[in-house]
């Protein structure tokens, strides 16, 4: 596909998507989000790809939904033509999505980052939900995902004041898994994707599904889902191969 607002490439089994609207700090307009959804779907269905890296540029992952595009919108048009609905494409990807944030991840940018399965931050990253300053509130899951990630008091403070959080605070509060130097961010994310790609595809997909269930299900139901997935993993050739390789003291060669 031909894209104008994103760049895609592959490095081995890693599919890389770069948001590329630098003049607007990667503001997430409708076209960009459509292109992102298409690119995610293409990598998700490409058997050569094991995991996806989603990143921006050194100044911004994304500074939010496009304020210029949103300004003329009014209700009930917003309700009848829900412009946030296409954003959910990020959530339906079955392969792991690694968000790699340098610079601003604000508003909808922070929300898209939080839709990723693993978040890496450059030391330059700044996260925030500044919607309150525009007379609105987070609308793509920010009030829910930020609260689950960093707890009520800090999420409330961030969302009610619109202040930004730096990379160190994001790591300390558990919003991101790791902080790395800005000039190695994409490299680190790609190597993480490739490390994931060495494992069983089915095992990885099931593990992602199980972890995500922790955000949707009561504990008992989540544990039941995990148990069913775990027991069904014994139907995969990769379980045979993984355990045989361990017992034969060799590296596994996963193909399933
Ligand atoms: C449209 C944006 C934009 C945005 C930046 N730009 N953010 N355009 N939508 N969200 C544009 C600016 O208008 C400017 O264009 C160019 O990018 C560079 O931005 P500057 O402001 O000149 O850069 P700087 O002074 O470095 O300030 C960076 C910044 C600031 C602090 C990130 O741009 C900022 O506050 N942006 C808005 C952040 C925000 O409020 N995000 C939440 C949006 S609401 P020109 O043409 O002037 O050069 C939202 C709702 C989500 O996301 C709900 C679900 C959809």
């Amino acid at each position: 596909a031909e894209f104008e607002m994103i760049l895609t490439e592959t490095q081995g089994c890693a599919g890389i998507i770069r948001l590329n609207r630098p003049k607007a700090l990667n503001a997430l307009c409708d076209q960009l989000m459509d292109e992102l959804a298409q690119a995610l779907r293409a990598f998700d269905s490409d058997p050569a790809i094991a995991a996806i890296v989603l990143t921006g540029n050194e100044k911004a992952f994304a500074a939010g939904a496009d304020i210029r595009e949103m300004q003329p919108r009014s209700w009930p048009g917003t309700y009848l033509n829900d412009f946030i609905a296409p954003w959910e494409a990020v959530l339906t990807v079955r392969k792991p999505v690694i968000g790699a944030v340098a610079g601003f991840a604000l508003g909808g940018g922070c929300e898209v980052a939080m839709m990723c399965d693993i978040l890496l931050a450059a030391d330059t990253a700044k996260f925030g939900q500044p919607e309150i300053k525009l007379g609105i509130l987070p609308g793509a899951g920010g009030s829910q995902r930020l609260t689950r990630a960093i707890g009520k008091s800090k999420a409330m403070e961030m969302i009610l004041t619109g202040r930004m959080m730096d990379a160190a605070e994001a790591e300390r509060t558990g919003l991101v898994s790791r902080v790395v130097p800005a000039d190695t961010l994409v490299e680190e994310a790609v190597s993480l994707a490739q490390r994931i790609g060495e494992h069983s595809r089915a095992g990885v997909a099931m593990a992602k599904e199980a972890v995500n269930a922790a955000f949707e299900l009561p504990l008992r139901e989540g544990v039941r889902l995990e148990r069913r997935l775990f027991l069904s993993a014994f139907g995969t050739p990769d379980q045979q191969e993984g355990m045989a390789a361990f017992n034969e003291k060799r590296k596994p060669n996963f193909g399933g």
Side-chain angles (χ1 to χ4, degrees), residues 198-199 241-242 244-254:
E198 290 168 10
H199 297 120
E241 170 60 13
F246 178 85
N247 288 326
E248 292 160 18
K249 303 189 190 300
R250 60 174 173 83
K251 269 191 76 173
N253 180 17
F254 293 120

Side-chain angles (χ1 to χ4, degrees), residues 23-25 27 63-67 84 87 104 106-108 111 130-131 134 139:
K23 285 189 185 134
L25 298 180
D66 189 314
I67 301 169
I84 304 162
W87 294 39
F104 298 111
L106 301 178
E111 291 173 307
E131 287 91 342
L134 300 169

Side-chain angles (χ1 to χ4, degrees), residues 53-165:
V53 171
L54 177 59
T55 192
N57 56 47
E58 60 184 20
K59 276 206 73 183
F61 178 77
D66 189 314
I67 301 169
R68 213 159 283 178
E69 204 174 62
M70 283 190 291
Q71 191 196 341
R73 288 183 167 153
S74 67
W75 187 88
T78 48
Y79 178 77
L80 293 170
N81 177 22
D82 178 358
F83 70 97
I84 304 162
W87 294 39
E88 303 204 332
V90 185
L91 301 170
T92 58
V93 175
R94 304 195 57 204
K95 292 171 184 170
V97 180
I98 300 160
V101 174
F104 298 111
L106 301 178
C110 188
E111 291 173 307
V112 168
M114 291 190 292
M115 289 178 196
C116 296
D117 298 308
I118 302 174
L119 261 187
L120 294 187
D123 46 17
T124 58
K126 291 212 180 297
F127 298 88
Q129 298 286 164
E131 287 91 342
I132 201 71
K133 298 181 185 173
L134 300 169
I136 54 169
L137 68 157
S143 64
Q144 307 303 298
R145 292 198 179 87
L146 189 63
T147 305
R148 286 168 196 226
I150 70 175
K152 171 174 162 176
S153 187
K154 202 177 271 285
M156 206 56 108
E157 188 201 318
M158 305 261 318
I159 289 169
L160 299 187
T161 67
R163 83 160 169 95
M164 293 185 215
M165 180 189 271

